[in-house]
Amino acid sequence: MKTYLIVLSVVILAMQLIRPERTNPTADKALEIQTDPKVMKILKRSCYDCHSNETKWPVYSAIAPFSWTIASHVDTGREVLNYSTWKQLDDNTKVKKLQRTIQTIGTGVMPLPSYTWIHKDAKLTKADRELLHQWAKKELGKLGVKVF
Ligand code: HEC
């Protein structure tokens, strides 16, 4: 039992040596997405931790193995959709991302359940989903895409 605990401690300590990057790259504010304040509030509350350069890294995000999962969600999240650099995207990409937004909020896969499990306030209410849906539809309209 004692040996087991020692081995376990060593493994957990060794895990801490693998430290993923937890950084917030600086982004030009002029490139950030612009929406009406109500939509912005939802995006900031529920999406920005993974889809922007303004991630709020919780204390436990410094501890392996949580650090690995969290950093990987943020990395991938920023890669597929980064609201901090939204204006850099060409129109076709914006259309794709807005269409995916409608899909993901419709199916409830975003924000990731592992995230809302801890960040209860990030869960989208029915009203939030409706607002995001209407917003995405309007933005798509501006880009010449009709959504029914
Ligand atoms: C905990 C981190 C996290 C949060 C919070 C989060 N996402 Fe994501 N999101 C991801 C990851 C990771 C992916 C990539 C998933 C994959 O490819 O399997 C993703 C993918 C997406 C995609 C698909 C993009 C594409 O082109 O494939 C959309 C759209 C999206 N998220 C929208 C949102 C919205 C809107 C919110 C807030 C309501 C949100 N996400 C909150 C992590 C997150």
Side-chain angles (χ1 to χ4, degrees):
M1 188 64 192
K2 211 170 146 196
T3 329
Y4 172 74
L5 283 178
I6 292 170
V7 171
L8 187 69
S9 313
V10 169
V11 168
I12 290 174
L13 282 174
M15 276 161 64
Q16 308 311 316
L17 297 176
I18 307 169
R19 309 191 71 108
E21 272 212 51
R22 295 181 305 133
T23 52
N24 285 357
T26 44
D28 185 352
K29 271 279 172 197
L31 296 177
E32 191 177 15
I33 196 163
Q34 263 176 335
T35 72
D36 80 77
K38 272 198 205 147
V39 171
M40 201 60 190
K41 211 169 133 196
I42 303 174
L43 295 181
K44 289 220 159 157
R45 187 196 67 207
S46 299
C47 319
Y48 259 50
D49 271 349
C50 300
H51 292 298
S52 84
N53 293 339
E54 297 177 41
T55 308
K56 292 193 199 82
W57 297 96
V59 176
Y60 53 82
S61 75
I63 303 161
F66 314 110
S67 52
W68 304 342
T69 315
I70 295 168
S72 128
H73 283 164
V74 174
D75 266 4
T76 320
R78 281 177 183 162
E79 211 175 282
V80 296
L81 174 68
N82 190 334
Y83 290 123
S84 297
T85 52
W86 176 261
K87 287 187 184 161
Q88 251 173 357
L89 301 178
D90 59 60
D91 285 0
N92 281 339
T93 313
K94 282 183 187 162
V95 166
K96 216 158 72 195
K97 300 300 164 189
L98 287 162
Q99 285 170 335
R100 295 253 165 91
T101 300
I102 291 180
Q103 282 166 8
T104 55
I105 54 181
T107 52
V109 296
M110 284 293 142
L112 292 179
S114 62
Y115 178 77
T116 48
W117 187 62
I118 297 166
H119 298 84
K120 303 260 186 244
D121 63 327
K123 267 196 194 137
L124 298 178
T125 64
K126 203 161 166 249
D128 292 340
R129 279 205 296 272
E130 186 54 32
L131 213 71
L132 285 180
H133 189 105
Q134 291 306 328
W135 162 72
K137 237 166 90 169
K138 206 169 91 193
E139 290 300 312
L140 281 166
K142 283 189 212 162
L143 292 161
V145 179
K146 262 210 160 64
V147 184
F148 298 98

